Amino acid sequence: MPIAVSTTAVEADISLLNQRELFPQLATYWIARVIRSSWDELFSVLVAAEDPSREQIVLEVWDESSYFPIPSILEAALALKTGLSIREIAHSEASESEIENVRLTVQECLDRARTESRHAICFLTGVPGSGKTLVGLSLAHSDENKGNAIHFMSGNGPLVQVLQHLFTQESMRKGAYAPQARAEAKTLIENVHIFARNYTDDDQGPPSNHAIIFDEAQRAWNRAQNLRKFRRDYSEPEMLLRIMERHEDWAMVIALVGGGQEINDGEAGLEEWGRALLDLSKDWLIYASPEVLEGGQSTAGHRLFSDTLRQKEVQTSSALHLRTSNRSLRADQLATWVNLLLDGKSDEAASLRISERFPMFLARSLDETRLKLQQQGIGIERCGLVGSSGAARLRAEGLEPNSSFHADYPWEHWYLAEESDVRSSHRCEVFATEFEIQGLELDWIGLCWGGDFVWDPLRGWQLRALRHGNQTKWTAIKNEEKKIYRRNAYRVLLTRARKGMVIFVPRGNANDPTNSPEEFNATAEYLVRCGVNQLS
């Protein structure tokens, strides 16, 4: 109970002692609001605060007890860069050893490829927020691999942009000049498409690194997209494997795979890696989690080898799968809940009673959403708004959905700048789409629901788009691939919060057919049936 004692304090408001949030797991529940008191009133405040039913804390035990917070991906990346091990930073309420065990398993695969002079690929899977990127960053920064540096790469532009900016800031804080700091940051994490472009010519030599880590490997480009981008008539997985085959002695590709994360045209999926491995000249050693072959929840049903493909031998290990989401402090079943919600299974979603441990609120006002998010911003906790790239009518709420605006926005400042900076996520003025938030996270998320994905009580989820030729009404999405992308967009958005989420569903406008109150009301009611608490 924080008490500020001052000679000029106003009369103490003891009623603040009993004002608590609904959820006991939130800091706003177990830390009372600050009470201002004079010295003369301090005795009365302390007496009023005493609770005889609670056991007195033993000072020595409290002082010597362990404190193991779960780091955000940005905190973890910085900690790994400064020399901490994954064991020192990756403690989790759900599983303290899982991430370390997975890292050791991947390290063993890498060591075998090096000592036996083999070309190998290792597929690591995990539910959203389980720590795949953390494992990859840990391997890249590990002392064990200093002699044979591993290059960490991602096709996620905003993730690369934010981490490079973070590493640059940290180096400059320690005295490095800006050009040197920026150059060093680019060696720590690189855009995989730039790497592929640099080595795309077949007559070039092998890359400097024998081992590379590809984050969100299922998002690699398919053959058509690679032809458009690189004028190469094969997929990006095949191109990357061909590049690594230029090493005559050994090479290793560590592919981090997340299920249901494909959100854009031209993303190949897990199957494209299987097709590429069948066509290579060298005999690649393949390590994978069982879900890579069986098509589990973490791969959204996708498999490395389909029934129609000849299958290669794969060494499977359950230690190559991360089962538990560590992003959300007390919501190890959040990914399951999100899948049930998106599958239209409200009763099953509600049965998980997930909001009893992970705060989720439904708001019908954007101002109310902003207020709730900012109230939860205790200390360094970070909040911000997110929304679908297809939610074109969020403009009616004052939020800009234009893709060119989002492409040019300085996302590194959105994620890293302090609250007073107008570019910061804290201001809740600019929302990040699934493209800008994928692979990253915030403590508190305000998910702004769009008319591109609404619930119909009779027909289920309606996936729609505003066409360029007709901006007067929504048009149903019929292409099956684009339906997957739209559904996955909301899967990404619903799994980005670490500590809590406010889902804002607009009230709509009866005079605007693109903002139907009936559709938004039905969507809000469905979310409540799934277990989301109404903010009021």
Side-chain angles (χ1 to χ4, degrees):
M1 293 179 177
I3 304 170
V5 185
S6 169
T7 56
T8 60
V10 298
E11 182 178 352
D13 185 357
I14 297 176
S15 67
L16 294 176
L17 291 170
N18 299 316
Q19 292 191 11
R20 292 289 193 278
E21 276 283 0
L22 174 65
F23 294 91
Q25 68 269 38
L26 294 184
T28 45
Y29 179 93
W30 46 264
I31 300 178
R33 294 176 62 183
V34 176
I35 298 171
R36 294 182 295 165
S37 172
S38 66
W39 286 106
D40 292 338
E41 291 183 304
L42 181 57
F43 173 80
S44 300
V45 172
L46 294 174
V47 170
E50 185 178 12
D51 184 353
S53 66
R54 300 184 66 176
E55 184 179 349
Q56 177 64 36
I57 292 174
V58 180
L59 178 60
E60 291 78 13
V61 175
W62 181 86
D63 188 46
E64 294 173 3
S65 64
S66 57
Y67 172 56
F68 291 144
I70 301 173
S72 69
I73 186 61
L74 298 182
E75 292 167 337
L78 206 54
L80 290 166
K81 180 181 181 295
T82 54
L84 289 179
S85 71
I86 197 170
R87 184 186 298 276
E88 293 171 299
I89 67 172
H91 293 280
S92 152
E93 184 180 275
S95 172
E96 295 187 3
S97 60
E98 187 179 25
I99 292 178
E100 171 67 1
N101 289 339
V102 170
R103 188 197 70 83
L104 290 173
T105 302
V106 178
Q107 185 68 50
E108 290 172 3
C109 298
L110 190 150
D111 292 340
R112 181 183 172 187
R114 183 190 299 125
T115 56
E116 297 182 3
S117 296
R118 295 291 303 272
H119 288 70
I121 184 168
C122 180
F123 292 97
L124 166 62
T125 59
V127 300
S130 58
K132 299 184 294 295
T133 302
L134 183 58
V135 170
L137 288 168
S138 176
L139 289 163
H141 292 285
S142 170
D143 289 336
E144 299 168 83
N145 300 310
K146 285 287 175 66
N148 292 279
I150 303 177
H151 209 162
F152 186 95
M153 294 181 289
S154 174
N156 185 337
L159 173 67
V160 173
Q161 181 181 350
V162 171
L163 284 176
Q164 285 184 350
H165 188 78
L166 178 69
F167 292 152
T168 300
Q169 283 185 319
E170 179 65 14
S171 295
M172 291 175 64
R173 189 180 67 81
K174 292 183 176 180
Y177 291 109
Q180 175 191 351
R182 283 193 288 269
E184 179 191 354
K186 290 181 179 179
T187 66
L188 297 174
I189 180 168
E190 183 180 353
N191 190 305
V192 70
H193 305 310
I194 295 176
F195 171 84
R197 184 184 302 124
N198 290 340
Y199 288 97
T200 188
D201 293 332
D202 293 331
D203 58 352
Q204 284 184 274
S208 57
N209 298 79
H210 279 73
I212 63 171
I213 299 165
F214 188 176
D215 197 19
E216 300 290 355
Q218 79 285 351
R219 296 188 62 197
W221 288 337
N222 59 25
R223 182 176 178 177
Q225 182 77 343
N226 214 39
L227 184 62
R228 285 194 294 269
K229 295 291 184 178
F230 292 126
R231 297 181 182 178
R232 290 294 184 273
D233 195 17
Y234 43 79
S235 68
E236 193 170 34
E238 184 175 347
M239 183 165 70
L240 289 169
L241 292 171
R242 285 187 180 185
I243 289 172
M244 296 308 292
E245 275 194 344
R246 296 173 191 169
H247 287 288
E248 291 295 331
D249 46 359
W250 71 278
M252 181 78 177
V253 175
I254 301 167
L256 312 182
V257 178
Q261 303 289 297
E262 302 87 354
I263 56 176
N264 204 3
D265 290 339
E267 293 179 357
L270 188 56
E271 295 85 352
E272 194 62 56
W273 287 93
R275 282 190 284 269
L277 286 165
L278 291 172
D279 295 335
L280 294 172
S281 59
K282 294 186 183 296
D283 181 24
W284 281 69
L285 191 61
I286 305 172
Y287 301 98
S289 76
E291 297 217 350
V292 168
L293 297 183
E294 298 166 3
Q297 186 183 84
S298 69
T299 65
H302 292 278
R303 294 182 295 161
L304 184 63
F305 300 112
S306 67
D307 294 334
T308 59
L309 285 178
R310 173 175 58 88
Q311 297 196 13
K312 297 192 68 172
E313 181 182 351
V314 179
Q315 297 187 28
T316 61
S317 170
S318 58
L320 291 173
H321 175 65
L322 289 160
R323 304 178 304 275
T324 306
S325 174
N326 296 316
R327 172 176 294 127
S328 307
L329 295 174
R330 290 172 172 83
D332 52 348
Q333 290 187 300
L334 180 61
T336 301
W337 180 83
V338 169
N339 288 339
L340 291 171
L341 181 149
L342 295 177
D343 289 342
K345 300 176 180 178
S346 58
D347 291 341
E348 293 181 48
S351 70
L352 295 178
R353 303 172 68 176
I354 196 158
S355 60
E356 292 181 6
R357 290 171 55 79
F358 182 71
M360 285 188 288
F361 299 100
L362 176 76
R364 304 303 303 273
S365 159
L366 186 54
D367 287 339
E368 190 178 34
T369 302
R370 289 180 171 126
L371 178 61
K372 182 63 178 177
L373 292 175
Q374 291 163 352
Q375 284 175 343
Q376 299 302 327
I378 293 178
I380 60 172
E381 290 187 0
R382 196 169 193 93
C383 68
L385 300 177
V386 301
S388 165
S389 61
R393 295 302 295 131
L394 284 177
R395 183 177 285 129
E397 302 293 333
L399 297 172
E400 179 52 62
N402 184 273
S403 58
S404 60
F405 169 83
H406 283 261
D408 296 334
Y409 198 79
W411 294 106
E412 67 273 23
H413 298 294
W414 193 86
Y415 281 103
L416 300 173
E418 59 187 21
E419 189 172 354
S420 59
D421 192 317
V422 297
R423 300 166 296 181
S424 168
S425 67
H426 286 292
R427 302 303 286 263
C428 294
E429 295 175 354
V430 172
F431 73 94
T433 70
E434 66 272 21
F435 300 114
E436 290 93 40
I437 196 71
Q438 188 175 49
L440 290 158
E441 60 200 5
L442 296 177
D443 295 303
W444 275 83
I445 287 288
L447 170 50
C448 303
W449 211 272
D452 59 328
F453 195 75
V454 293
W455 179 259
D456 184 295
L458 299 177
R459 298 179 296 163
W461 289 113
Q462 301 302 296
L463 288 68
R464 315 182 301 187
L466 276 182
R467 302 300 184 192
H468 292 298
N470 185 355
Q471 296 279 310
T472 63
K473 63 179 181 179
W474 292 99
T475 302
I477 298 174
K478 296 181 180 179
N479 181 282
E480 291 302 319
E481 190 174 47
K482 292 187 182 299
K483 284 184 179 180
I484 292 173
Y485 295 152
R486 185 56 46 85
R487 191 179 302 273
N488 285 349
Y490 278 84
R491 194 187 317 276
V492 168
L493 297 171
L494 284 161
T495 55
R496 296 303 104 184
R498 284 167 44 81
K499 297 187 177 179
M501 177 164 47
V502 181
I503 301 177
F504 161 57
V505 179
R507 294 189 183 278
N509 181 346
N511 297 316
D512 180 357
T514 65
N515 270 321
S516 166
E518 291 78 12
E519 292 175 341
F520 282 130
N521 289 341
T523 302
E525 290 166 6
Y526 174 79
L527 292 170
V528 171
R529 289 202 304 275
C530 288
V532 180
N533 296 283
Q534 297 190 64
L535 188 55
S536 56

CSV table of all heavy atoms in Angstrom, one decimal, residues 3 86 197 280 350:
chain,number,residue,atom,x,y,z
A,3,ILE,N,2.0,4.9,0.4
A,3,ILE,CA,1.6,6.1,1.2
A,3,ILE,C,2.6,7.2,1.0
A,3,ILE,O,3.8,7.0,1.3
A,3,ILE,CB,1.4,5.8,2.7
A,3,ILE,CG1,0.5,4.6,2.9
A,3,ILE,CG2,0.9,7.0,3.4
A,3,ILE,CD1,0.5,4.0,4.3
A,86,ILE,N,19.9,-17.6,-21.5
A,86,ILE,CA,18.5,-17.8,-21.6
A,86,ILE,C,18.0,-18.3,-20.2
A,86,ILE,O,16.8,-18.1,-19.8
A,86,ILE,CB,18.1,-18.8,-22.7
A,86,ILE,CG1,16.7,-18.7,-23.1
A,86,ILE,CG2,18.5,-20.2,-22.4
A,86,ILE,CD1,16.3,-19.4,-24.4
A,197,ARG,N,18.5,-11.9,-51.4
A,197,ARG,CA,18.9,-11.0,-52.6
A,197,ARG,C,20.4,-10.9,-52.8
A,197,ARG,O,20.9,-11.0,-53.9
A,197,ARG,CB,18.2,-9.7,-52.4
A,197,ARG,CG,18.4,-8.7,-53.6
A,197,ARG,CD,17.9,-7.3,-53.4
A,197,ARG,NE,16.5,-7.4,-53.0
A,197,ARG,CZ,16.0,-6.9,-51.9
A,197,ARG,NH1,16.7,-6.3,-51.0
A,197,ARG,NH2,14.7,-6.9,-51.7
A,280,LEU,N,16.7,-31.2,-53.6
A,280,LEU,CA,18.0,-30.7,-53.5
A,280,LEU,C,19.1,-31.8,-53.8
A,280,LEU,O,18.8,-33.0,-53.8
A,280,LEU,CB,18.3,-30.3,-52.0
A,280,LEU,CG,17.5,-29.0,-51.6
A,280,LEU,CD1,17.6,-28.8,-50.1
A,280,LEU,CD2,17.9,-27.8,-52.3
A,350,ALA,N,-15.7,-20.7,-23.9
A,350,ALA,CA,-16.1,-20.3,-22.5
A,350,ALA,C,-15.7,-21.3,-21.4
A,350,ALA,O,-15.4,-20.9,-20.3
A,350,ALA,CB,-17.6,-20.0,-22.5
